[in-house]
Amino acid sequence: MPDMDFEVNESNTARQRAVKEGLYDPAFEHDACGVGFVAHIKGTKSHDIVLKGLEILVNLAHRGACGCDPETGDGAGILTQIPHAFFQQQVGSQLPRGNHYGVGMVFLPQDPAERALCEAVINQTVKEEGQHLVTWRDVPVDNTKIGPKSREVEPVIRQFFVGRGNNIVDDAAFERKLYVIRKSIERKVSAKPIEQMDYFYICSLSSRTIIYKGLLMAHQIGHFFTDLKDPNFTTALALVHQRFSTNTFPTWPLAHPYRYIAHNGEINTVRGNRNWMRARQAGLTSPLFGEDIKKLYPLVSESGSDSATLDNALELLVQGGKSLPHALMMLVPEAWGSNEQMPDDRRAFYEYHACMMEPWDGPAAIAFTDGKVIGAILDRNGLRPARYLVTHDDLVVMASETGVLDIDPTNIKEKWRLQPGKIFLVDTVAGKIVSDNELKNRIIGRRPYGKWLSENKIDLRDLPPPPTEYLPDHDTILDRQQAFGYTLEDLKVILGPMATGGEQPLGSMGNDTPLAVLSQRPQLLYSYFKQLFAQVTNPPIDPIREDLVMSLTHYIGSNGSLLEEVAENCRQLRLESALLSNTELEKLRNLLTGDFKARTISMLFDPTAGAAGLETAIKRLCKDASTALQDGISVIILSDRGVNKEFAPIPALLAVSAVHHHLIREGNRTRTALVLESGEPREVHHFALLAGYGASAINPYLAYE
């Protein structure tokens, strides 16, 4: 990979972030960092918490990174509560009382004209949403000791203060309105003709919290932002982060913390998570947002880091009415499928939400706060370090490692580590640490999740045997294998060992076959796709041997809104695996239970018409899928059975992805399940791609045969 230096465009203006070029793509953004927080359990505010937060940050410096310019790091930052006394001193009597104003911390373009344009959008949007802009404030900074590369792309940093309007009924409604304002501003600014668009970024806009961060090293934060030195800058909690980006391009906006989280690790499912959030967008409804819901599009970042996207999803759920721990239990669930010791009501909670949302899988250690509670969670695998301690004088310290603060051992009341899937939470309003059991029991007791599941969920295993099913046809099997591009290698190296030993054949990471795009041989469509990152020496995740933390259980059917908890959300069909046997597929095909109706659509076409015939067939496939939805079909089966010398199959990956994206464009994707019945897929890579591009379940009938 070429040196990842800051790009300079033709006008010799430094860019904030890299553009897609050569082997580099901004979509490959991942983090591996140091994270920590300090908080007073009773909610007592002091400047000492700020100083301790900065000390934690400095002591996590070895978890960060720097470039060839040793004074430019990957990013660092601190999140605190709104320091009301400090802002009263800075802004004066025009500042409303606490909780009746929000503070926006914003990065702006260096160009004065473009900066003025962004500020005008902010002013106008605040007014349009029925709030009033109190004033602007220049954030004092000292950039004399930061690296030249960081200084070259340093944005102008300002704060704007938003007064609470008369149309706001309570604190939660004001925080929600500030969220709508920020999303509206981001969308409007992105539509403006601004060359320095990469410089614009709203770090935070909240009545509870504020974020000071940048393309800085740990020791630079306290000196760069001089606000943090003021004794009147007080808080009861401080969340800090030192970034070490991997396969990424460090920028000012991508520094942590984000609005709710600071994250150590990777969200390795982020591509799929983004795609499904996009698919859910059209069907999103919320009594809290009402018509404002459309102002939140796009729901999550399409290009930021995995951490930024996770924060977007968490913010949506919290502002949509869920508590912060509830939202985290949805996004990062603990292992529940095979945990025999888990209470039934807790398992019901996770199963209900599995019908609504797929997990955002790590490895991940996530520290979080909404300004009232602060805590941390590990994903279900628990592969990231995080330790905490509690002192006799009501201080809590959590970090990626122990020893980040020099605390007298006699003052330590308790210390331990975070555990997989468990939530560690400090409630500064109630003034106590809430145990994982107490917290989750409180959340799972809010709704009768078990009752809803028993009344709505259907298990494929419980359905009656189908009246008929396809039997092997060995007289034509060779012709069909040739039609679907089977090779001797497929039979001997892949399918043979799986059939005889019941094991997936493993090979080395090296693959010296020619790239499909350069090959002169016929290639399956799957061969043009590669994995996004190296697995190093890790073996594949094995849901059989690691069934305690992994599961192939799958739910299909029409999905409701993420932001509404109703019984209909779990009106789903439960599958033991996304791979269906012939018998299971026939059960599905003959399904006429309640809201579940299935329809089979053929993927065959006449190949004599050439490329035009294939295009026509794909359009017909999409049209038939739309018609099925209009007829109330909740399970669409795309089938290529019947291949012969007159009719060829549309490549399965092309067919699935075409229908999937067609339904997303129509806003109907979450109303149906796409099931594939195909003789083409036969190896793990094929199934992974099909699932990634929209297949809800797959029946590889020829591989079975």
Side-chain angles (χ1 to χ4, degrees):
M1 182 177 289
D3 291 340
M4 292 278 72
D5 207 349
F6 291 84
E7 180 186 337
V8 178
N9 63 20
E10 293 180 0
S11 62
N12 204 33
T13 302
R15 295 181 62 88
Q16 259 283 33
R17 67 180 66 161
V19 295
K20 184 175 180 180
E21 181 179 13
L23 296 178
Y24 175 79
D25 190 324
F28 303 153
E29 298 285 343
H30 291 284
D31 304 316
C33 330
V35 62
F37 69 75
V38 57
H40 194 281
I41 298 175
K42 305 299 184 184
T44 303
K45 296 184 178 183
S46 68
H47 184 60
D48 186 55
I49 296 291
V50 178
L51 299 179
K52 281 183 166 59
L54 294 175
E55 185 179 349
I56 292 174
L57 195 56
V58 170
N59 288 332
L60 288 173
H62 60 282
R63 287 187 173 268
C66 62
C68 55
D69 164 15
E71 290 300 313
T72 297
D74 279 2
I78 181 171
L79 180 156
T80 71
Q81 294 172 324
I82 297 286
H84 181 57
F86 171 76
F87 284 132
Q88 275 186 319
Q89 170 189 298
Q90 297 296 317
V91 176
S93 59
Q94 59 182 322
L95 190 69
R97 58 191 173 93
N99 295 331
H100 277 64
Y101 68 92
V103 185
M105 175 75 88
V106 59
F107 295 161
L108 294 162
Q110 296 174 342
D111 180 84
E114 294 189 346
R115 185 163 66 249
L117 179 58
C118 294
E119 291 173 355
V121 170
I122 292 173
N123 294 341
Q124 182 62 29
T125 304
V126 170
K127 182 179 179 181
E128 289 173 355
E129 294 297 330
Q131 315 306 300
H132 65 279
L133 198 137
V134 178
T135 188
W136 282 86
R137 174 177 180 258
D138 294 324
V139 177
V141 298
D142 179 3
N143 64 5
T144 57
K145 295 182 180 179
I146 68 174
K149 290 295 184 183
S150 178
R151 188 162 51 245
E152 184 181 352
V153 291
E154 177 189 350
V156 173
I157 306 176
R158 302 194 74 194
Q159 292 167 344
F160 60 96
F161 295 77
V162 179
R164 183 161 149 178
N166 296 326
N167 60 340
I168 302 299
V169 296
D170 56 29
D171 293 350
F174 185 43
E175 196 71 7
R176 191 159 48 248
K177 178 57 71 174
L178 292 174
Y179 172 53
V180 171
I181 289 173
R182 197 197 84 234
K183 296 288 285 187
S184 298
I185 291 170
E186 290 170 347
R187 188 180 64 256
K188 292 175 182 177
V189 170
S190 66
K192 298 293 183 183
I194 299 176
E195 289 188 9
Q196 292 188 337
M197 185 67 72
D198 293 337
Y199 283 77
F200 179 80
Y201 177 76
I202 301 177
C203 303
S204 59
L205 175 56
S206 171
S207 62
R208 299 172 183 169
T209 60
I210 189 166
I211 298 169
Y212 287 77
K213 69 176 186 177
L215 191 59
L216 306 166
M217 302 185 73
H219 67 276
Q220 296 170 343
I221 287 286
H223 299 289
F224 181 81
F225 292 109
T226 58
D227 285 356
L228 300 175
K229 299 178 180 179
D230 195 300
N232 283 322
F233 195 112
T234 61
T235 180
L237 56 86
L239 175 62
V240 299
H241 188 274
Q242 166 67 63
R243 188 166 187 248
F244 189 118
S245 55
T246 56
N247 299 329
T248 185
F249 191 89
T251 69
W252 283 78
L254 288 183
H256 297 220
Y258 291 106
R259 287 107 192 181
Y260 280 89
I261 69 164
H263 171 225
N264 173 28
E266 295 181 346
I267 302 299
N268 286 325
T269 56
V270 68
R271 177 71 63 89
N273 296 134
R274 283 174 179 157
N275 290 343
W276 281 111
M277 290 298 288
R278 191 188 312 120
R280 294 185 183 102
Q281 191 166 279
L284 201 66
T285 58
S286 167
L288 292 176
F289 284 110
E291 289 301 311
D292 278 354
I293 200 79
K294 295 181 176 61
K295 299 174 183 177
L296 306 180
Y297 303 163
L299 299 177
V300 299
S301 166
E302 295 291 334
S303 59
S305 70
D306 52 340
S307 306
T309 308
L310 173 62
D311 185 77
N312 292 158
L314 181 62
E315 184 177 31
L316 172 70
L317 295 175
V318 171
Q319 298 296 355
K322 292 175 171 52
S323 69
L324 187 50
H326 184 168
L328 283 163
M329 289 171 70
M330 287 180 63
L331 294 166
V332 192
E334 61 182 309
W336 59 273
S338 301
N339 187 348
E340 296 178 355
Q341 298 179 344
M342 180 176 287
D344 291 341
D345 55 351
R346 186 180 297 190
R347 181 179 288 104
F349 170 90
Y350 285 118
E351 186 170 10
Y352 171 83
H353 287 91
C355 295
M356 300 171 62
M357 170 173 275
E358 70 290 338
W360 295 57
D361 268 339
I366 302 165
F368 58 85
T369 183
D370 61 1
K372 294 182 176 181
V373 301
I374 190 167
I377 183 174
L378 289 186
D379 73 305
R380 56 190 169 184
N381 289 288
L383 298 178
R384 284 294 180 268
R387 304 190 70 88
Y388 68 88
L389 63 83
V390 183
T391 68
H392 289 289
D393 54 357
D394 294 324
L395 209 63
V396 176
V397 181
M398 193 289 301
S400 298
E401 57 198 57
T402 190
V404 291
L405 284 182
D406 187 11
I407 294 178
D408 186 345
T410 62
N411 191 28
I412 297 176
K413 179 180 180 181
E414 174 191 351
K415 59 181 178 180
W416 189 227
R417 58 178 174 82
L418 266 63
Q419 297 171 281
K422 306 297 184 184
I423 299 177
F424 175 69
L425 186 84
V426 181
D427 188 335
T428 64
V429 176
K432 66 176 185 176
I433 295 174
V434 185
S435 71
D436 179 79
N437 279 333
E438 178 186 348
L439 177 66
K440 289 178 178 174
N441 288 339
R442 185 191 308 165
I443 293 171
I444 64 180
R446 295 175 59 255
R447 298 285 188 271
Y449 298 111
K451 181 174 181 289
W452 286 353
L453 286 165
S454 65
E455 293 175 350
N456 291 276
K457 184 193 67 172
I458 298 174
D459 198 315
L460 188 64
R461 294 176 302 181
D462 299 334
L463 295 179
T468 60
E469 63 180 89
Y470 286 98
L471 298 175
D473 180 7
H474 293 294
D475 292 338
T476 64
I477 193 168
L478 180 60
D479 292 338
R480 287 180 290 134
Q481 286 174 337
Q482 291 174 335
F484 286 110
Y486 276 66
T487 65
L488 289 176
E489 181 180 7
D490 291 329
L491 299 177
K492 292 182 177 180
V493 178
I494 298 174
L495 292 178
M498 292 170 70
T500 57
E503 297 179 351
Q504 176 191 342
L506 298 180
S508 67
M509 283 294 297
N511 185 350
D512 58 359
T513 57
L515 293 175
V517 72
L518 301 178
S519 174
Q520 299 299 315
R521 305 288 298 171
Q523 299 280 342
L524 293 176
L525 192 54
Y526 310 100
S527 300
Y528 292 85
F529 295 80
K530 298 292 182 182
Q531 64 189 45
L532 292 181
F533 61 94
Q535 295 286 351
V536 198
T537 57
N538 296 340
I541 289 175
D542 188 336
I544 297 174
R545 294 174 181 83
E546 301 177 73
D547 66 338
L548 185 63
V549 292
M550 302 304 301
S551 173
L552 292 178
T553 302
H554 196 48
Y555 299 85
I556 65 172
S558 178
N559 295 111
S561 173
L562 272 181
L563 302 182
E564 297 189 57
E565 279 192 300
V566 292
E568 290 73 21
N569 283 344
C570 60
R571 194 164 290 164
Q572 301 269 305
L573 186 67
R574 182 181 185 273
L575 311 178
E576 287 296 308
S577 168
L579 295 186
L580 301 176
S581 69
N582 290 353
T583 302
E584 289 171 328
L585 181 66
E586 292 312 309
K587 283 185 176 183
L588 205 55
R589 201 192 312 270
N590 290 277
L591 189 61
L592 289 172
T593 305
D595 293 340
F596 290 98
K597 296 179 183 179
R599 177 177 295 177
T600 302
I601 301 176
S602 176
M603 294 159 49
L604 302 182
F605 76 105
D606 182 359
T608 60
L614 178 60
E615 182 178 359
T616 300
I618 292 173
K619 290 180 178 178
R620 184 260 308 163
L621 200 65
C622 293
K623 182 179 178 181
D624 288 349
S626 296
T627 302
L629 275 175
Q630 293 169 9
D631 295 341
I633 300 299
S634 56
V635 178
I636 295 175
I637 301 173
L638 303 178
S639 176
D640 59 23
R641 278 195 181 271
V643 171
N644 54 34
K645 60 183 179 181
E646 283 86 23
F647 293 100
I650 299 173
L653 185 59
L654 180 60
V656 167
S657 60
V659 174
H660 174 71
H661 288 289
H662 169 73
L663 295 180
I664 288 178
R665 288 190 293 271
E666 290 195 336
N668 296 324
R669 178 61 187 91
T670 56
R671 288 175 48 199
T672 190
L674 286 182
V675 176
L676 175 68
E677 179 184 25
S678 176
E680 185 183 79
R682 58 260 197 186
E683 57 180 275
V684 173
H685 182 59
H686 300 173
F687 300 125
L689 279 166
L690 289 166
Y693 278 90
S696 304
I698 305 160
N699 168 241
Y701 64 84
L702 189 56
Y704 288 146
E705 193 169 342

